[in-house]
Amino acid sequence: MQMQQIHASNSSPSYLIPHTPSVRGIPHPSFQLWSRPSSFPTQWKLKRVSHGCRNDVTKIKAVAVNKTEKAVKVKAIVSVQPTIGGIFSSLAIDADDLTDLLGKTLLVELVSAELDPKTKLEKKTIKDFAHRTYRSTKEVRYLAEFEVPADFGEVGAILVENEHRREMFVKEIVLDGFELGPVRFTCESWLHPKNENPVKRVFFPDKSYLPSETPEGVKRLREEELQHLRGNGQGERKKFDRIYDYDVYNDLGDGDRDPDLARPVLGGPEHPYPRRCRTGRPRSLKDPLSEERSSTVYVPRDENFSEVKQLTFSTKTLASGLQALVPALTALIVDKERPFEVFSDIDSLFDEGVGLPPGEVKISTLLPRIVSFIKEKGEDILRFDPPATMDKDRFFWLRDEEFGRQTLAGLNPCCIKLVTEWPLKSKLDPEIYGPAESAITTELVDKEIKGYFPVEEAIKQKKLFILDYHDLLLPLVEQVRKIEGTTLYGSRALFFLTGSGTLRPLAIELTRPPMDGKPQWKKVFTPTWHSTGVWLWRLAKVHVLAHDTGYHQLISHWLRTHCATEPYIIAANRQLSAMHPIYRLLHPHFRYTMEINALARGSLINAGGIIESCFTPMKHSILLSSIVYDQEWRFDLQSLPKDLIHRGLAVEDPTAPHGLKLTIEDYPYANDGLDLWAAFKTWFTEYIDHYYADSNAIQSDTELQAWWEEVRTVGHADKKDEPWWPVLKTKEDLVEIVTTIAWTASGHHAAVNFGQFSFAGYFPNRPTIARTNMPNEDPSDPEWELFLKKPEVTMLRCFPSQYQATTVVTVLDILSNHSPDEEYIGDVTEPAWEQEPRVKAAFEKFRGKLLEIEGLIDSRNADETKRNRNGAGVVPYELLKPTSEAGVTGKGVPYSISI
């Protein structure tokens, strides 16, 4: 091998050594040294003179140096975030401050990326204690100093040991002093004290590596860190643990406290369900298959909310706020079943408000947005801001056109389906549930569409659409009706696509199966001009909307986003190293999800929780989500394009934008969602192209394959044998998988979450429960007489009770709120993405596309021809606008499911 001499400004010669390494599997001429040639003078050492992204040619300069060259002095600057109410929170000196003063706060070790060339073993680490050099309310810095030998090589990892008695949140570590500039280690992690866990924490630099490209000196650490995160599946998890493991949903019930609160285990052959994070809590005394309840639920420490989010969401709202508000409401509203007496009582929640009884906790300090302290009265006043829909049009909820519009641009725009078979017919066993034929007949539809088309032609031209909860809910009707204060039907709502592109409701069918010695009852309700028919139609809408609202909260929201995503997160942390490029790509989409899920299990979806108390299926609510998971959930259909095709709302068309032609052109959720989906897909494609040369690189990535295998066979174990799971063999497969996951956690979740207060805050628009039967189900019943005399009272009794409505509106206000430290898609470049110019450029292009989408959404909302998002009193569709300010805004797409 020949060396080419290069003349420098001094007399010392330097050399470029030709070599032909394999760059991403392709032979590429460069000047990169992979091994020292035997003929190379031993008194010379090699130094890298420049480097770009990993695909660029890397040049190595051989510089004549003396064997006795001095070591490099390197500083490690450790940046720690002061915690609120914890470490560094006060100026008083404690034991940890004394540790700082002694200069022994953190033991920092530098780990070489290279093996010893002679022994082929890991090089000895270089250690120093870091001492505190700076302290403020926003940051504390520590400094360690090292003498790094000339032959130490690059630093491949840092080991840190916390000598404090309390944990600390390490934001980053920067090594300064190397010839090529600073080396950054982004940590963003809680560092436990040594006395709690003697295992040293390892942090890897921001540069990403596939498993096969891991520097030799840190291969062992990479695998050991993953083993630590997996744990051994034994014992109860401690608060400081960082262990990710799986369990079934066996912690929702509380049979030890009350037999009526016992609930079946979700997960397994009887009740299929995704898996959650294992906590290892002791078993229930009365049900050995279930865990006992506790006031706190373990999540791996780094999954906990940030300090800012703790204050703005967890501590002051869902946890403390509801814990204080619910007893106050109970004291205020002694009768939990009491309905609103008149509609003006509903309006008063948004106008005058209601005084809350005095208590030990000032609720106004916990829920300042909705509870104010009135000094003159000396009491807390519960008063809600009018939702955007109500603020624009107080009577919006009554209009049929709004009923149809919201199926496309409302809170649950992902359930409307194209009618493809006629006549409508149930697939349930008629021996059990009664005749399968729908009462929505051809003659009835012909009458409603007034000769536009015969039914067959309307179906052929894709003009009929349906919200169909008939077969899903009918098997639950008998069990739900045994619960006091609620009722249930199987339901269908049929819509016609008008020439203006809007959906007009045609008919609602409600069905009760044979029960209590009575035959099947089914009735069709249609818009009409007669007063009795008008009120029956309105009541039928209340039932359908309650069903749709329950499906939205339990399936479209909880199951499809929160619940289904947790296994992706657990598997990623168990199988993908923190230095894996796919881990770093998906990590922003996983932040805080496990903690919000734990909070939901604690107070929202648990037995006797908010959902069971206030939604139609009541104690069967979460079981309903298991039924849907078993019957309907498919990973491939979480893809927005495939979901639209599956529901008949789109067909593949290479000439159309995004390759899809929408069945309803003005479909705001689909219009904006497809733009967002395409932006994600382009960004992910360019990112994956950078790290993977070809399909062989995908198939040989052991961590990636282990992750996807575990998602399918463990995280979603009850679905592991389904044929629809995507294979992971090509780059295109990987792009589709990560786009589906990212869309679910960001776009889909934003669409079904952040409009909750806007659309359901005024609950007559989307009641969570229908409490009474239709008055004509049994015309001899006294309810029929009351209905004929005072139909408004009948409706108010059917609506949620005062207690239910007030509780739900409070929760919806909290869940629709953007935290001040919300992380929106495209907002911040991850440090690892900054390391690679090609990746950084791709992300900047993605960010630019998001700005373009913002403007596009604004222009669509301003277009008077788009009647599903523009018109008098119509709230513009902004749920998929990428950014937002803090608060309840009805827009903004965060990276992750963080609320």
Side-chain angles (χ1 to χ4, degrees), residues 726-761:
V727 296
L728 181 50
K729 292 184 177 180
T730 67
K731 291 195 291 183
E732 291 73 22
D733 296 335
L734 180 56
V735 168
E736 182 72 13
I737 288 169
V738 298
T739 305
T740 299
I741 291 173
W743 161 256
T744 299
S746 56
H748 178 86
H749 180 260
V752 299
N753 181 74
F754 291 105
Q756 290 192 84
F757 186 74
S758 295
F759 286 103

Side-chain angles (χ1 to χ4, degrees), residues 373-623:
F373 179 69
I374 308 299
K375 287 186 177 181
E376 293 77 13
K377 296 184 178 181
E379 64 180 4
D380 283 338
I381 300 294
L382 175 67
R383 180 170 50 213
F384 300 99
D385 288 340
T389 44
M390 178 189 180
D391 193 43
K392 278 182 167 287
D393 180 357
R394 192 163 285 239
F395 303 103
F396 76 106
W397 65 280
L398 273 172
R399 294 188 286 111
D400 284 349
E401 56 267 34
E402 182 67 6
F403 176 38
R405 189 188 77 85
Q406 287 186 28
T407 65
L408 302 172
L411 189 55
N412 189 32
C414 31
C415 287
I416 190 76
K417 297 178 182 178
L418 178 70
V419 174
T420 56
E421 297 180 358
W422 194 265
L424 301 174
K425 190 173 182 180
S426 171
K427 294 181 173 59
L428 298 174
D429 186 350
E431 294 294 323
I432 300 174
Y433 299 104
E437 293 75 18
S438 171
I440 302 178
T441 63
T442 299
E443 294 74 22
L444 184 147
V445 176
D446 282 340
K447 178 182 176 183
E448 289 301 316
I449 61 179
K450 297 179 175 62
Y452 272 97
F453 306 99
V455 171
E456 293 78 7
E457 184 64 21
I459 292 174
K460 183 178 178 181
Q461 294 198 26
K462 300 183 178 181
K463 295 292 185 180
L464 291 184
F465 296 83
I466 192 169
L467 280 178
D468 194 348
Y469 300 123
H470 183 278
D471 285 10
L472 174 64
L473 296 180
L474 203 61
L476 292 175
V477 168
E478 187 170 3
Q479 290 299 314
V480 170
R481 286 195 174 200
K482 291 178 181 178
I483 304 170
E484 187 176 351
T486 189
T487 190
L488 190 63
Y489 294 97
S491 69
R492 296 185 178 103
L494 190 68
F495 300 84
F496 176 73
L497 180 63
T498 69
S500 62
T502 59
L503 288 178
R504 180 165 69 85
L506 296 180
I508 291 173
E509 179 181 21
L510 300 178
T511 305
R512 181 202 67 203
M515 55 182 288
D516 300 330
K518 298 178 181 179
Q520 182 196 69
W521 179 88
K522 64 175 63 171
K523 186 73 174 177
V524 176
F525 303 88
T526 60
T528 182
W529 298 105
H530 186 262
S531 60
T532 301
V534 167
W535 277 103
L536 286 173
W537 168 250
R538 288 172 179 168
L539 285 168
K541 281 202 298 181
V542 171
H543 285 273
V544 167
L545 287 167
H547 302 164
D548 190 57
T549 301
Y551 191 97
H552 157 262
Q553 198 65 266
L554 292 163
I555 313 323
S556 301
H557 186 196
W558 164 254
L559 175 66
R560 288 185 62 176
T561 66
H562 291 260
C563 187
T565 297
E566 187 153 335
Y568 313 147
I569 303 171
I570 298 173
N573 283 278
R574 287 167 55 86
Q575 301 298 343
L576 296 176
S577 167
M579 65 168 68
H580 196 291
I582 299 304
Y583 179 89
R584 284 173 162 160
L585 179 66
L586 288 176
H587 184 251
H589 297 284
F590 292 161
R591 288 188 183 112
Y592 308 140
T593 300
M594 292 181 71
E595 174 149 8
I596 190 63
N597 286 1
L599 288 171
R601 302 207 309 275
S603 58
L604 290 177
I605 65 170
N606 59 302
I610 303 298
I611 300 295
E612 283 198 0
S613 301
C614 304
F615 283 72
T616 287
M618 298 196 84
K619 67 181 292 184
H620 303 291
S621 292
I622 203 67
L623 180 61

Side-chain angles (χ1 to χ4, degrees), residues 254-272:
D254 196 1
D256 287 351
R257 182 163 64 93
D258 184 343
D260 288 339
L261 296 179
R263 295 292 181 269
V265 173
L266 301 184
E270 188 174 0
H271 300 297

Side-chain angles (χ1 to χ4, degrees), residues 646-667:
H646 178 72
R647 291 190 284 121
L649 271 296
V651 294
E652 293 184 6
D653 182 352
T655 66
H658 313 306
L660 289 182
K661 178 177 176 57
L662 294 178
T663 310
I664 301 175
E665 291 183 9
D666 181 18
Y667 184 2

Side-chain angles (χ1 to χ4, degrees), residues 12-13 36 40-47 62-72 148-151:
S12 301
R36 182 190 300 272
F40 200 75
T42 57
Q43 68 269 29
W44 293 340
K45 68 183 283 288
L46 303 179
K47 288 187 179 179
V63 183
V65 296
N66 191 288
K67 281 185 179 181
T68 61
E69 181 182 356
K70 293 182 179 179
V72 178
V148 180
D151 61 352

Side-chain angles (χ1 to χ4, degrees), residues 628-644:
V628 175
Y629 179 72
D630 181 33
Q631 296 179 1
E632 299 180 9
W633 189 89
R634 296 172 45 160
F635 177 86
D636 59 332
L637 295 183
Q638 307 314 297
S639 154
L640 177 60
K642 290 180 180 177
D643 170 54
L644 294 171

